[in-house]
Amino acid sequence: MSEQIVFLDASTIGPGVVVGRPAFDHQWQEYERTEPEQVVARLAGASIAISNKVAITPAMLEQLPDLKLIAVAATGYNIVDLEACNAHGVTVCNIRGYAVNTVPEHTFSLILALRRNLVEYREQVLDGEWVRSNQFCFFNRPIRDLAGSNLGIIGAGALGQSVGRIGLAFGMNVMYLNQHIRTAPDHGQLVSLEEMRAQADVLTLHCPLTAETHNIIDAEFLQGMKDSAIVVNTGRGGLIDETALAEALKAGVIAGAGLDVTEVEPAAMDSAMMQVADLPNVIVTPHVAWASVGGMQTLVDQLIVNLEAFARGEPKNVLGRD
């Protein structure tokens, strides 16, 4: 029997990446992007849906009796309701472990740029401040080393631990939040949320977005941090209360923020984060931490493996059942 496969948002895979085809009888249809009102029509008759960021809601599932598999082309799976999928007999799988190089490297790009005030120094050089200083070494903003500083990591999965190992190589003291894990990785220690808030010089987020973690970084948390601390988020935008973060940055409550994700993407120009994005101690990148050529190729290769495993009756990376 031929499987009907529909990729709803193929444009989320960047240039230079080859998306293979599964080695079983199938028909493949892909769309560059899909609006919510187009989902049901495009998935009509499909047995397999591939989606990176297009939500497939419980109401949509009611209208898609042929659907058997939703293959999420990402690690985060907040685009689907697992309980509803189980009720409709729809298997959901995701991608795991593909970003263990690209996301940590992007994370540390943000950390280094912020701790050393690279953005502002570059702007001042271009504005002529260095020339006007009439001195070989122009410095009017603090430059802070990573060695000896405290790296707080929320999320101790593959990405969080990869970030922690890089931090250790820089000579940082690595701390993990003690929620949901009992034993610290061998390169770090477990601390409470209150301890992390008070001690972290660099706070970085690598946990899933759930009801429990939504706005885990809020105004109260930010107020309790060091005024020299920075916050980096390459996880999901909803992990941070963006209005509170913007206010903290404007008031100097913390020293800076590096964000690769926002709660609504793309972020509107009048959103809280875009209103402070031009500050020299703020860096906003367009959700590209995951998107190195190598990372994306690993992702799509694993996506095809997931499809083939499902077709063999041996589904891999299944969510909500393992």
Side-chain angles (χ1 to χ4, degrees), residues 50-72:
I50 302 172
S51 176
N52 188 322
K53 292 294 178 289
V54 178
I56 301 175
T57 67
M60 294 172 184
L61 291 174
E62 294 281 354
Q63 304 172 69
L64 298 170
D66 298 314
L67 194 61
K68 297 186 293 186
L69 173 69
I70 298 174
V72 180

Side-chain angles (χ1 to χ4, degrees), residues 143-319:
I143 297 173
R144 295 185 171 90
D145 294 331
L146 295 186
S149 66
N150 296 326
L151 174 62
I153 302 173
I154 297 180
L159 296 182
Q161 291 196 39
S162 183
V163 168
R165 286 189 288 270
I166 295 173
L168 184 68
F170 272 108
M172 303 179 81
N173 305 310
V174 180
M175 306 179 298
Y176 290 95
L177 182 62
N178 63 4
Q179 294 178 2
H180 307 302
I181 55 174
R182 297 181 179 180
T183 304
D186 57 10
H187 55 269
Q189 61 176 316
L190 296 184
V191 299
S192 67
L193 193 62
E194 293 73 20
E195 291 170 323
M196 185 170 288
R197 177 180 60 191
Q199 297 174 24
D201 297 297
V202 176
L203 179 73
T204 179
L205 299 163
H206 302 282
C207 58
L209 176 59
T210 64
E212 181 182 10
T213 61
H214 183 254
N215 285 352
I216 191 171
I217 307 302
D218 57 13
E220 181 181 359
F221 188 100
L222 293 164
Q223 288 289 338
M225 296 187 74
K226 300 176 182 179
D227 60 10
S228 59
I230 64 170
V231 173
V232 173
N233 187 11
T234 57
R236 286 289 183 268
L239 298 173
I240 298 178
D241 181 333
E242 293 178 353
T243 299
L245 178 58
E247 291 302 318
L249 289 164
K250 288 187 286 188
V253 172
I254 60 172
L259 306 175
D260 185 56
V261 289
T262 54
E263 186 149 22
V264 177
E265 295 175 341
M269 295 306 293
D270 61 353
S271 65
M273 291 318 307
M274 290 305 295
Q275 290 297 303
V276 296
D278 62 346
L279 294 177
N281 61 337
V282 177
I283 303 174
V284 179
T285 54
H287 204 141
V288 292
W290 66 283
S292 71
V293 173
M296 286 192 292
Q297 190 64 61
T298 300
L299 181 153
V300 297
D301 290 347
Q302 187 181 137
L303 173 67
I304 301 305
V305 168
N306 284 349
L307 300 187
E308 292 175 339
F310 179 79
R312 291 195 308 270
E314 303 170 353
K316 295 183 60 174
N317 297 333
V318 175
L319 294 163

Side-chain angles (χ1 to χ4, degrees), residues 5-12 28-36 38-44 46 48-56 60 64 67 70-71 73 79:
I5 303 172
V6 177
F7 195 162
L8 292 172
D9 50 355
S11 65
T12 58
W28 181 283
Q29 174 69 57
E30 65 180 45
Y31 300 93
E32 291 295 294
R33 59 185 63 196
T34 297
E35 299 301 324
Q38 298 173 312
V39 171
V40 171
R42 289 183 172 180
L43 291 181
I48 297 175
I50 302 172
S51 176
N52 188 322
K53 292 294 178 289
V54 178
I56 301 175
M60 294 172 184
L64 298 170
L67 194 61
I70 298 174
I79 62 168

